[in-house]
Amino acid sequence: MVRASAVLRHTYANVFEAASDARARALLRDDPVPASTIIVVDDAQELDAASLAVLFRAVHSGRATALIAVTEPRLPTSSRDGVVDVIHDLWLSGNADRIELPRLSPRDADRLLTLFAPHEPFDSVTRAALLWSADGSRLLLRALVDAGLAALTEGRDPIVAIADGASHGALAAVLHAHVRDLDDEQLRALVLIDRAPGITRADATRLVPVAVVHELRAAGLVYDDGSTSHRLTANRVLARAAERALGRERSEAVISDALERLLRDEGRWWSTPLARLLADQWMRTVARPADLDGVSPEFIERVVLDAARVANDTGDASDAAAYAAWMRTDVAVPAIVLEQRFATERLGARTTDESLLDLAVNERRRARTLVTFPSVDDTATAPDLGSAGAPDALAKSRQAVSDLRLRDAVVLTEHVRRDPATSFLRDRIDVELLAGMARAYLGETTAMREALNRAMRMFTSGASFDDALDRIAARSYDLACRTVAGTDDAEAVDRLAFERDMAVRAGGSALAAASLAAVLVEIRRGRVLAARRELHAAAARAPYRGGESLSMIELETAYGLAVFRYPLEAQETLAAVEMPAAASRMLQHSFASTSSVVAAANGNIDEARSHAADAWTLSSMTDAVMLQIRDAHRLAVLRHSLAEQVLAEMRPLVERIEAPTADALLRDAESAAAGANEVGPPPERMLQRLRAALSVRNDIDEPGEAPTSLPTRSLTAREREIAQLVEEGLSNRRIAEALFVSVRTVESHIYQARAKVGAASRSELGAAVAREIRALRGERAAATTQMNARG
C-alpha cells in the first residue's frame, strides 16, 4: 500500500522510500519481489515523478500489478497535472483498465446522511442544506454532519453554524482540501456570487469570465434558479471556504472591483444585489449622501431604494430602516419613505402619518403590496368596482377571500383577469390563485382546477417567478386550495417539496419560507411529529414572527397533532398561536375549529362542542360551503345538540355542490349522528372520524402511528376495488383511467371508504383492505386444507 499525499510530494523525493513495506523499497532498488505482489496506490495524483517512474517500471517489467486510485479535479484549472496525464496515457495506450467511480448520488447521499445521523435529528431544510453543501463528497458530508450535530447540542442552527463557523477545526480542514484545486478565477467567482446572492448571470459575467460561471454552475457549486434572469447563488459553505483560501484582502478586492464597475458605468446596467452592497459601503464610510463626490443624486436614490426594498422583502426590516434613515439626512424620497414606514411598523415602532401622494405611477403597486387594504363592510352584498383599477381590485379580492366573502372574490378576480392593465406576472398568477381559493371554498372543483392550471402554466412558463419566496408562496397556495376542496393533492405536495429543496439553495430569507413549506409537506403526508419539528425550525429561522399565514400553519399543525393522538403537543402548539385583535374571519374560524379538535383530543368534550359551535357560527354567516360542511361534520361527530338542525340545513345545499368531499362528509356526519359503524370508546371514535376527514397521505408511519386492523366489510364492491388499486400505488387519475370513470368519482369512493373504516389516509385504507384480503385467503386456504383432509 502506497499512500501518496501533497505532504510527501513536497517533502520526500520518493514515497516508495517512505513506505514501511520492505517490498516498496525492493521495487525502488529494482530488487526481486514475490510474483503475486500488488501495489495499491491511493491519491496517485500526488505522486512525485520518481515514485511514478518506480511504479510504472515495476508494472512494465511484470514484477507487480498496480491498482491506482486517481482523484481528478471537477473543474478545469489553469495548470495541468503531469502525473495525471501520465496515468491517463497508461490507460489510453491499452496498458491499464479504467474503472469509473461516480460521485455520491443524491439518493446515496441521503442514505449516508441517515447512517451518519440516525434518529432524524435534523429538520428537512437542514438535511437539504447538508446534502447540497457536501457537493457529492462522502468525507465532506461526514464532516458537515458532525459539525451540524455539534451545533444542535449548542442550540444553534446547523445551517448557519457550518457556513459561518467553519474557520477552524476538522470541517475547516476538509473544506480547504475540497476547494484546494480551484484556481484564482474560480475562487473569485464563488466569492462574488456568495457576497451578492441573486446576482443575475448577465451581471456576474460582466465581472468574472463567462466560462468560469458556466463551469461552476455545471459542477453544482453555483445554483441557477432557472428564471429568465438566471439568478445565481453559490454553495455557501464552499464559497466561504473559497474566501478563506483567497484571503481577506483579495476577497474584498473582488467586491470593491465590482462596485467600482457599477459606479463607473453610471447605471447603464444595474444589479440590485450589488446596489445593496454599495449602500452598505456608503453607510460605513460616508456620513451623509451629500458627501459622495461625483455621484449623481439620482444614482444615490436608486441604490438606496433598491437596498431598502430588498431588505424589506427578505425580512431585514432594521437594515431597510437604516438605509432610508441615512438617505433622509439630506432628502425625503417618497418611495424610500414608504419603505421606511413599512420597516418601522414591522419593527413595532409607531410612524407619523406622512403623505405618500407623490409616489410615481409604477411605485403605487408597491405601496399596495406593503399597506393592507382596508376591509370592506361585511354587510356589502357585492363589491363596488366603480373605477377601481386592477391592483385595487386584486387587493380587494385578497381581502374578500380572507373575510370569506367568496362570491365577491369571484367577481373581483374576474374583473382583474379581464383588465388589460393586469400585466405584471405576479398579479396575473395571484389573481388565478385567489380565484382558485374562492372556488375551492365554494366547492366548485372544476373552476378551481381551471384557475390553478392557468396559474401553474404561467408559473412554469419562460417568464417564471424570479424569487424563491414567490415560488414557495404560489405552490403553498395551490396546495391549500386542493386541501380546502378535498381533492387529490399528491402532485401539489411533491411540487412544494421540490420548491422547498430549491429554496435551500437560494439561501437567506428563503430558508424560513422553505421551513414553512416543509411543515405543509409533512402535514399532508401525515407525519405530524415531523411537521412540529419543521414548525420549530421555521420559527427559529423567521426574520420576524407574525402574520396570518404563519398562524394558519401553526393551527394546521396543532389540528394534525390532535387527530393523530398527540394531545399534549397539540395543546402546546395551539397555545403558541398569536391571534391579532383584527384577525380575519378565515383565521378566526381556523382557530375555533382547531381549538375544538384539540379539546376533543384532550378529553374535554364539552369544550370541544363549544368551539365547534363557534366555528359553525362563523362559517354559516358566509358562503364558504366547504367550511360549513366540515363544521357540520364536526358537530355531528362531537354529538352537539345543534347537529341535527345543521345537517338538515346542509342536505339540500350539498346536493348542489360539485366537490365529492362534501357528499362524503355529509354521509359520514349522518352516520356519526346515528351512531352507526362505531367501534371503541367515544373519544377514539371521534378522533378516528375527524382523522379520516383530513385526507392526508401518511406516506411514512411515525412511532405510535402504525395503522391498526380496521373493519372493511362495510365497503361496497367498487370501494373495495378502488382501495386495492390504491394499495398497488396508483394515483387517483390512473385509477380513473383503469376503471373508465371520472377522477371525481374515484375521489368520492375513496373518501366514503375512508370514512366508513376510519382510515386516516389513502394508504391506510389500501393497507386495511389488503390485510382483509390476505386474511380471507388464509381462511379459504385453511378451509380447503381441512376439506382435503376430510376427503
Side-chain angles (χ1 to χ4, degrees):
M1 172 69 76
V2 175
R3 293 184 176 88
S5 70
V7 173
L8 290 175
R9 186 174 188 177
H10 294 95
T11 306
Y12 288 88
N14 198 311
V15 298
F16 279 84
E17 186 178 354
S20 59
D21 196 311
R23 289 170 295 178
R25 291 189 292 276
L27 289 171
L28 178 63
R29 297 188 300 268
D30 289 335
D31 291 344
V33 294
S36 60
T37 297
I38 298 174
I39 309 170
V40 180
V41 186
D42 195 16
D43 288 326
Q45 71 277 1
E46 299 292 354
L47 283 173
D48 58 276
S51 298
L52 189 65
V54 171
L55 176 66
F56 286 175
R57 193 163 59 247
V59 172
H60 278 281
S61 64
R63 290 184 297 156
T65 301
L67 179 62
I68 307 171
V70 181
T71 302
E72 298 184 8
R74 292 176 53 207
L75 292 168
T77 57
S78 55
S79 60
R80 292 187 59 81
D81 193 321
V83 173
V84 175
D85 287 343
V86 171
I87 295 174
H88 282 175
D89 289 342
L90 185 68
W91 163 61
L92 291 171
S93 63
N95 292 305
D97 292 328
R98 178 170 177 147
I99 304 172
E100 296 285 352
L101 297 179
R103 293 176 62 240
L104 192 62
S105 70
R107 190 170 186 177
D108 289 340
D110 188 66
R111 292 174 178 171
L112 197 58
L113 194 158
T114 300
L115 180 65
F116 292 156
H119 311 302
E120 297 191 46
F122 301 119
D123 62 279
S124 63
V125 172
T126 298
R127 286 182 68 93
L130 290 172
L131 292 174
W132 188 48
S133 300
D135 193 35
S137 166
R138 294 163 179 81
L139 179 63
L140 181 52
L141 178 61
R142 182 55 191 260
L144 289 167
V145 169
D146 289 345
L149 291 173
L152 283 179
T153 61
E154 297 170 3
R156 295 187 296 152
D157 187 341
I159 297 178
V160 177
I162 62 177
D164 297 340
S167 58
H168 55 81
L171 178 56
V174 175
L175 286 169
H176 178 72
H178 199 77
V179 301
R180 187 167 50 203
D181 290 333
L182 300 183
D183 63 22
D184 275 5
E185 289 290 0
Q186 293 159 352
L187 294 173
R188 286 169 54 84
L190 273 177
V191 170
L192 171 68
I193 296 170
D194 178 58
R195 296 280 288 274
I199 189 171
T200 66
R201 189 172 65 190
D203 292 339
T205 54
R206 296 176 191 273
L207 307 166
V208 294
V210 176
V212 172
V213 173
H214 287 317
E215 289 164 3
L216 294 173
R217 187 174 59 86
L221 297 176
V222 165
Y223 167 62
D224 184 329
D225 70 351
S227 67
T228 52
S229 300
H230 293 282
R231 297 186 181 188
L232 306 177
T233 310
N235 183 319
R236 189 179 183 189
V237 174
L238 296 179
R240 299 297 167 86
E243 186 169 339
R244 288 190 289 272
L246 199 60
R248 179 184 296 276
E249 185 176 345
R250 295 170 66 196
S251 297
E252 291 299 329
V254 172
I255 305 305
S256 296
D257 292 345
L259 298 184
E260 287 176 9
R261 173 73 186 274
L262 186 66
L263 274 168
R264 186 171 64 249
D265 290 349
E266 297 179 340
R268 288 192 294 272
W269 60 279
W270 194 259
S271 171
T272 298
L274 290 180
R276 186 174 182 183
L277 289 176
L278 187 56
D280 288 336
Q281 184 186 83
W282 286 346
M283 287 180 58
R284 289 195 312 270
T285 59
V286 182
R288 53 192 302 169
D291 295 337
L292 289 169
D293 295 331
V295 184
S296 68
E298 294 77 16
F299 188 89
I300 297 173
E301 290 174 12
R302 187 177 181 186
V303 167
V304 175
L305 178 58
D306 265 17
R309 281 179 174 171
V310 170
N312 269 330
D313 289 344
T314 55
D316 298 329
S318 58
D319 285 355
Y323 297 137
W326 180 81
M327 186 69 193
R328 293 189 69 182
T329 56
D330 282 340
V331 61
V333 179
I336 297 177
V337 172
L338 173 67
E339 300 297 332
Q340 185 180 29
R341 284 179 57 182
F342 182 65
T344 52
E345 288 176 7
R346 180 172 283 181
L347 291 170
R350 305 186 71 175
T351 58
T352 57
D353 186 20
E354 298 177 79
S355 173
L356 294 174
L357 298 178
D358 294 332
L359 285 173
V361 174
N362 63 341
E363 293 167 345
R364 291 175 187 167
R365 177 181 177 276
R366 172 72 174 176
R368 294 184 184 96
T369 64
L370 296 183
V371 180
T372 303
F373 202 90
S375 299
V376 181
D377 186 359
D378 289 341
T379 59
T381 57
D384 179 17
L385 296 176
S387 59
D392 284 338
L394 184 60
K396 287 183 177 180
S397 62
R398 187 176 291 110
Q399 189 66 41
V401 170
S402 295
D403 290 340
L404 298 178
R405 293 180 290 103
L406 304 169
R407 289 299 174 193
D408 287 359
V410 169
V411 173
L412 287 161
T413 52
E414 284 295 327
H415 173 73
V416 178
R417 181 186 294 129
R418 295 172 182 175
D419 192 330
T422 310
S423 56
F424 287 100
L425 176 68
R426 185 178 302 179
D427 286 349
R428 291 163 55 202
I429 293 179
D430 280 354
V431 72
E432 298 298 347
L433 293 173
L434 286 168
M437 182 62 80
R439 299 288 188 177
Y441 275 117
L442 292 168
E444 300 171 359
T445 53
T446 299
M448 177 201 75
R449 289 192 181 99
E450 290 173 354
L452 294 179
N453 288 339
R454 284 193 295 268
M456 292 305 110
R457 280 197 297 271
M458 287 186 283
F459 185 87
T460 56
S461 68
S464 60
F465 274 174
D466 283 348
D467 190 273
L469 297 175
D470 288 334
R471 297 172 69 89
I472 285 181
R475 292 298 192 193
S476 299
Y477 217 83
D478 175 54
L479 175 59
C481 292
R482 299 177 193 278
T483 301
V484 168
T487 59
D488 187 14
D489 60 9
E491 291 185 8
V493 172
D494 292 341
R495 287 194 295 260
L496 182 57
F498 173 80
E499 293 298 341
R500 171 200 63 193
D501 293 344
M502 293 303 102
V504 170
R505 301 188 176 193
S509 59
L511 290 176
S515 293
L516 291 174
V519 179
L520 298 177
V521 168
E522 299 296 359
I523 288 174
R524 299 311 301 163
R525 288 176 173 169
R527 302 182 71 233
V528 292
L529 289 181
R532 182 169 176 255
R533 180 182 59 201
E534 302 291 346
L535 183 62
H536 289 165
R541 293 189 179 111
Y544 61 93
R545 284 186 63 83
E548 292 203 352
S549 296
L550 176 59
S551 297
M552 292 290 288
I553 292 174
E554 290 174 323
L555 290 169
E556 191 168 353
T557 305
Y559 199 111
L561 287 165
V563 297
F564 279 100
R565 310 184 192 95
Y566 295 100
L568 298 180
E569 293 83 351
Q571 184 63 53
E572 178 186 330
T573 304
L574 177 63
V577 177
E578 297 178 3
M579 285 291 291
S584 69
R585 182 174 288 149
M586 182 187 294
L587 181 58
Q588 293 177 46
H589 178 274
S590 180
F591 187 82
S593 58
T594 301
S595 298
S596 173
V597 176
V598 172
N602 282 281
N604 303 321
I605 305 302
D606 289 339
E607 181 185 347
R609 290 168 179 160
S610 176
H611 289 303
D614 291 341
W616 165 253
T617 300
L618 286 167
S619 66
S620 63
M621 298 167 58
T622 72
D623 46 11
V625 66
M626 294 307 296
L627 288 186
Q628 292 170 6
I629 185 58
R630 283 188 169 85
D631 290 339
H633 177 267
R634 195 177 301 109
L635 288 170
V637 168
L638 295 173
R639 301 292 183 84
H640 196 285
S641 58
L642 287 174
E644 287 295 341
Q645 174 188 339
V646 171
L647 289 176
E649 294 179 20
M650 293 305 298
R651 286 187 189 103
L653 187 60
V654 168
E655 291 178 358
R656 302 192 298 270
I657 299 303
E658 181 184 1
T661 306
D663 183 62
L665 276 170
L666 179 62
R667 292 188 184 188
D668 189 58
E670 292 173 335
S671 174
N677 298 325
E678 293 188 346
V679 179
E684 178 54 33
R685 293 201 305 264
M686 293 175 180
L687 288 180
Q688 191 178 71
R689 288 186 181 276
L690 293 172
R691 186 163 60 249
L694 273 181
S695 303
V696 297
R697 285 200 281 167
N698 202 13
D699 291 344
I700 304 173
D701 295 321
E702 293 183 305
E705 294 182 8
T708 57
S709 186
L710 301 173
T712 62
R713 287 178 169 79
S714 61
L715 300 181
T716 65
R718 176 62 92 182
E719 289 168 351
R720 193 180 304 278
E721 180 183 24
I722 290 176
Q724 286 180 260
L725 295 175
V726 168
E727 173 66 10
E728 294 173 10
L730 273 66
S731 66
N732 288 359
R733 185 171 297 280
R734 291 289 303 278
I735 294 172
E737 293 171 354
L739 300 181
F740 301 99
V741 296
S742 68
V743 175
R744 178 186 175 190
T745 300
V746 172
E747 292 173 348
S748 179
H749 281 307
I750 289 176
Y751 198 93
Q752 291 177 43
R754 288 180 52 237
K756 286 180 180 180
V757 302
S761 64
R762 295 172 77 255
S763 59
E764 190 172 317
L765 170 66
V769 172
R771 284 195 299 273
E772 183 188 73
I773 292 173
R774 286 194 296 270
L776 289 174
R777 286 174 180 170
E779 292 173 3
R780 290 170 183 167
T784 302
T785 302
Q786 291 178 0
M787 291 177 63
N788 291 338
R790 290 170 186 165

